[in-house]
Amino acid sequence: AELRASQLHEQGRLRALVSAGGDGTIAELMNRTIPGTPLATYPAGTANLVARYVGATPRCQEFGQMLLDGATVQLDAGRANGRLFMAVCSCGFDAEIVRQVHAARTGHISSFTYLPPILAALGSYRFPELQVFSDGLTNPGDAVSARWAFVSNLPCYAAGLKPGIGASGTDSQLDLCALRHGGLFSTLRYLPHLLMGTQRNLPDCTISRSPRFRIESAEEVPYEVDGDPGGMLPVEVDVLPGRLTLIVPRSFVVPVN
């Protein structure tokens, strides 16, 4: 399908390649198609972060109308160890949950699928130390020590959390949110701030903006991209300006931060 889509796009005959699924599905299509291929996301997954971000609806008539007369926008894409993503690459506790869910997955998953691994990990996850490097840090030669790290391209994340609240898909930058401490107490302290987007006020939170980051650890730590397992650290994350071409409702306005 992606080869045929690329051929039609090169011939000027492709309106959009439709992704019927979640964020992982449209990310897979973006990774398999040539730059400039117009994509549209029909929200049929679990979180549907990108679809919610642009306002794409599961109502068939409205979605069809979007395909006919929607706007075409160019958004940045992130890249983690060579794999493109749209919303976020994260490391640590949440990535471990994603790893466990997908390791046990046998079919369709829902938000409730994540609950048992979350409860189990709250009591067993050790929160290994992460080292984050970037030219955008206050002291570029130094590493930021963290137990959680989110590198966001878009200001959306699962469960209503807002680790990348300042991120924009048009600024050719990625936004880091690095939280210094681990453990149950710190998790419960961080979550309200991540829900409200006020983590910038925390003294043990590092916020930084840069076109590239490197995250590593002396221990085996997973990372995830847009809700799919990415592998184990280290991970090199950078931004590809304007890499993603999306068909969106005409009411969508690209946020500028």
Side-chain angles (χ1 to χ4, degrees):
E2 59 270 16
L3 178 59
R4 181 59 176 157
S6 296
Q7 292 172 341
L8 291 173
H9 172 59
E10 290 176 336
Q11 296 167 9
R13 298 170 53 199
L14 180 70
R15 173 56 180 166
L17 181 60
V18 176
S19 164
D23 300 298
T25 305
I26 190 169
E28 186 66 28
L29 289 183
M30 181 172 62
N31 275 275
R32 293 187 180 204
T33 52
I34 61 175
T37 302
L39 304 177
T41 176
Y42 180 83
T46 304
N48 303 310
L49 298 178
V50 176
R52 292 181 182 180
Y53 175 69
V54 302
T57 173
R59 293 185 289 274
C60 293
Q61 184 173 352
E62 293 181 25
F63 186 83
Q65 195 64 41
M66 182 191 77
L67 293 178
L68 289 174
D69 61 11
T72 302
V73 299
Q74 304 292 136
L75 296 177
D76 302 337
R79 181 170 57 184
N81 282 356
R83 179 165 180 81
L84 304 182
F85 66 91
M86 286 166 290
V88 66
C89 170
S90 66
C91 313
F93 179 80
D94 60 320
E96 173 62 18
I97 301 303
V98 169
R99 187 194 68 79
Q100 290 186 27
V101 167
H102 283 262
R105 181 174 181 171
T106 57
H108 182 70
I109 61 176
S110 69
S111 299
F112 295 104
T113 309
Y114 290 84
L115 186 57
I118 289 173
L119 294 176
L122 281 173
S124 62
Y125 188 66
R126 296 185 300 105
F127 292 89
E129 182 179 10
L130 313 175
Q131 299 292 321
V132 185
F133 300 87
S134 169
D135 293 342
L137 298 173
T138 303
N139 298 306
D142 297 333
V144 167
S145 175
R147 306 290 171 161
W148 309 56
F150 306 86
V151 179
S152 298
N153 178 53
L154 299 177
C156 45
Y157 193 75
L161 301 178
K162 304 176 180 67
I165 191 170
S168 168
T170 58
D171 62 359
S172 302
Q173 300 284 315
L174 298 169
D175 285 56
L176 169 72
C177 172
L179 302 170
R180 191 176 306 158
H181 300 297
L184 179 59
F185 175 77
S186 293
T187 299
L188 296 177
R189 185 168 65 89
Y190 289 144
L191 284 178
H193 287 278
L194 290 171
L195 283 167
M196 295 183 292
T198 56
Q199 60 271 16
R200 185 182 296 272
N201 300 328
L202 293 170
D204 51 349
C205 175
T206 297
I207 301 292
S208 177
R209 182 168 290 173
S210 175
R212 64 186 57 84
F213 292 92
R214 175 178 173 82
I215 306 173
E216 57 187 52
S217 176
E219 301 183 54
E220 191 172 70
V221 179
Y223 70 91
E224 62 88 19
V225 286
D226 286 345
D228 284 336
M232 296 292 174
L233 297 184
V235 62
E236 298 270 359
V237 190
D238 63 344
V239 66
L240 300 179
R243 173 60 177 81
L244 174 61
T245 302
L246 271 183
I247 305 298
V248 300
R250 288 203 170 271
S251 58
F252 175 69
V253 177
V254 179
V256 179
N257 295 319

